[in-house]
Amino acid sequence: MKRKLTAAIGIAGMMISIAACGGSDDGDSAKGADAKELTVWLTVDAQNNWPTLVKAADKAVQKKHPGIRIKHEYYGWPDKNTKLDAVLATDKVPDVVEMGNTEMLGYMVKGAFAPVEAGKFDNSGAWLDGLKASVTYEGKTYGVPYYAGGRVANWRKDVAASVGVKTPPKTYKELTAALDKIQKKEGGKFSAWYQPTRDWYAAMSFVYDAGGSIAKEDGGTWKGSLSSPESLKGLTEFKKVVDSYMHGDKTKDESDRYIVYGQGKSAMIFGAAWEGATSADPKNDKTGKLKDNLENFVMPGPSGKNMPVFLGGSDLAIPVKSKAQGVAAEWINAFTGKDGQKGLIAKGNLPNNKTDLATLKDDPATAVPATAAESNWFVPMAPGWGQVEKAQVLQKMLQNIGTGKKSAVPPAAPPER
């Protein structure tokens, strides 16, 4: 699914005290339990890819509440939050709204969403860690995980075979050995591994693999930890990858990686699970060789374990001003519950829970993304996250790492806010 997950961080200000968030202790599940209308905001992903699942959730609610009118509105990711911010200031809010999991925190901090009782939702005890973290703030739950998206490695089997490698690597040593051979054979204008320097999702995977982190909480205070020995070890390895194998534009981010990959000047990428297949689409494949020639595999980490991957995805939340919170919760459970997860899996998504995820490991078609998603990380759930659009500070730091400019790493002791 081609959507760019957005998040933001002020690296220099990651030492911040957690602010209190409004809302009642337990939510108000009875509020609007007999509502006559329900407004659901989803992104165009649902409209275009699984509209039957939306209709099934509608029918389940309408069966319990005869005569209820359910209205749907669909938005693209770039303009959704602008519209949401405008209506949250009024009394005409939607009752259910889809949020990218990295978008949740800022709204939870501001008290924009109503708390919910997690135990009332299917599979809540087995929600994936990264998704569970995204809907949790100060011990309360403010949303329900919808589906997940992981990251995998993908390479060209023909290029690997040209240097005698016929199976995907199981270890980082095997991976770099293969890439060294590919880079030597193809020359300096070819990227054995096309790794955009500003791709903070990939860079932070190296950090977490080395035992580091973006920030850590200690006694209610968040402290930046990108200058820890562990984090610097991960960043150093990331720079080594960029220096050794990335021979494209080192100022770029990952937004058009699938297009660049389709141009045939690279042998491997590490990105969202859909990117390889999208590169092989005839409209993106400029080589005419990518169909049936690309292979996903679980990214091995330098630590000897599978590389921890950023776990993206979507959540569903109920605005605190909704007058139909009870019915909204019922609709969310019908949509994200057991039957809904089966439908989402059939459309190529990862489920919101570990129980269903485990079953995907037995199917060759889904084993790689399911296995990769088991080791995951998520952004710090600190109020300061989200103050700088699209992680510009973090991206700039990584660009400096890749291009060798000064200020390539954060200061050892970020100032407190």
Side-chain angles (χ1 to χ4, degrees):
M1 160 167 332
K2 293 190 229 175
R3 76 164 158 105
K4 178 175 174 61
L5 297 174
T6 58
I9 184 170
I11 295 296
M14 279 303 297
M15 184 186 291
I16 46 183
S17 297
I18 296 179
C21 180
S24 63
D25 291 340
D26 301 313
D28 189 358
S29 59
K31 182 178 180 181
D34 58 351
K36 302 303 181 184
E37 293 186 356
L38 186 74
T39 299
V40 178
W41 282 17
L42 299 172
T43 67
V44 292
D45 296 327
Q47 183 182 33
N48 296 335
N49 300 310
W50 44 88
T52 57
L53 301 183
V54 177
K55 292 179 181 178
D58 289 351
K59 289 180 179 179
V61 171
Q62 289 167 338
K63 182 177 181 180
K64 186 175 179 180
H65 302 274
I68 189 171
R69 178 173 177 266
I70 302 178
K71 178 183 178 182
H72 295 280
E73 295 185 26
Y74 296 93
Y75 295 90
W77 286 102
D79 57 346
K80 171 182 67 71
N81 286 2
T82 300
K83 177 68 174 179
L84 179 61
D85 291 344
V87 301
L88 285 178
T90 73
D91 292 326
K92 297 182 179 180
V93 300
D95 303 298
V96 176
V97 61
E98 178 180 351
M99 303 293 295
N101 60 347
T102 56
E103 299 172 338
M104 286 289 294
L105 180 62
Y107 290 85
M108 293 191 295
V109 170
K110 296 175 183 177
F113 297 144
V116 299
E117 297 180 52
K120 292 187 176 182
F121 297 90
D122 291 353
N123 294 313
S124 59
W127 284 343
L128 297 178
D129 293 339
L131 295 185
K132 181 178 180 180
S134 73
V135 298
T136 305
Y137 182 66
E138 292 193 328
K140 300 176 186 177
T141 304
Y142 290 91
V144 177
Y146 173 6
Y147 66 90
R151 280 165 167 70
V152 299
N154 180 286
W155 75 358
R156 289 180 56 174
K157 291 186 289 185
D158 60 339
V159 177
S162 72
V163 296
V165 180
K166 298 182 179 181
T167 59
K170 300 296 184 183
T171 68
Y172 192 71
K173 184 177 180 180
E174 291 178 356
L175 173 63
T176 54
L179 292 176
D180 287 341
K181 292 178 182 178
I182 291 171
Q183 194 63 67
K184 182 178 180 179
K185 179 179 181 294
E186 298 293 338
K189 294 184 179 181
F190 187 86
S191 294
W193 176 349
Y194 180 73
Q195 179 51 63
T197 308
R198 286 160 54 86
D199 176 9
W200 63 276
Y201 299 112
M204 294 304 105
S205 286
F206 280 88
V207 167
Y208 281 89
D209 179 72
S213 61
I214 298 172
K216 291 185 177 181
E217 183 182 12
D218 182 12
T221 298
W222 284 88
K223 297 181 180 180
S225 53
L226 282 176
S227 294
S228 72
E230 296 83 4
S231 294
L232 291 177
K233 180 180 179 181
L235 289 172
T236 298
E237 185 61 34
F238 178 73
K239 176 173 172 55
K240 183 178 178 181
V241 165
V242 172
D243 290 344
S244 300
Y245 309 121
M246 169 61 176
H247 299 290
D249 184 349
K250 293 186 178 181
T251 66
K252 290 177 66 65
D253 64 17
E254 74 283 5
S255 60
D256 65 346
R257 174 168 45 208
Y258 67 95
I259 295 176
V260 176
Y261 194 34
Q263 294 171 351
K265 296 182 180 180
S266 53
M268 173 186 148
I269 58 174
F270 172 43
W274 55 262
E275 291 186 49
T278 306
S279 297
D281 187 295
K283 65 176 177 291
N284 296 319
D285 179 11
K286 305 305 179 183
T287 71
K289 302 177 181 179
L290 299 186
K291 184 179 180 181
D292 300 324
N293 191 34
L294 297 182
E295 185 173 25
N296 281 339
F297 59 93
V298 178
M299 181 68 185
S303 69
K305 301 179 181 179
N306 291 343
M307 183 78 85
V309 298
F310 173 78
L311 194 64
S314 279
D315 301 320
L316 296 175
I318 303 172
V320 73
K321 289 185 178 182
S322 166
K323 296 179 175 63
Q325 292 182 24
V327 179
E330 293 175 14
W331 190 93
I332 290 174
N333 194 40
F335 189 53
T336 64
K338 296 178 181 179
D339 291 339
Q341 291 302 308
K342 290 179 181 178
L344 289 166
I345 290 170
K347 293 295 184 178
N349 300 291
L350 292 177
N352 67 1
N353 66 91
K354 299 173 184 176
T355 304
D356 287 331
L357 185 70
T359 66
L360 300 185
K361 293 174 64 178
D362 297 327
D363 184 345
T366 54
V368 168
T371 301
E374 287 185 315
S375 178
N376 59 77
W377 61 272
F378 194 63
V379 298
M381 294 303 287
W385 186 271
Q387 291 186 355
V388 184
E389 182 66 13
K390 295 183 180 178
Q392 289 177 349
V393 174
L394 183 52
Q395 287 182 326
K396 183 65 175 178
M397 182 194 79
L398 294 171
Q399 181 178 319
N400 287 344
I401 288 176
T403 57
K405 295 182 179 179
K406 294 181 179 180
S407 301
V409 297
E416 184 173 359
R417 277 188 192 168

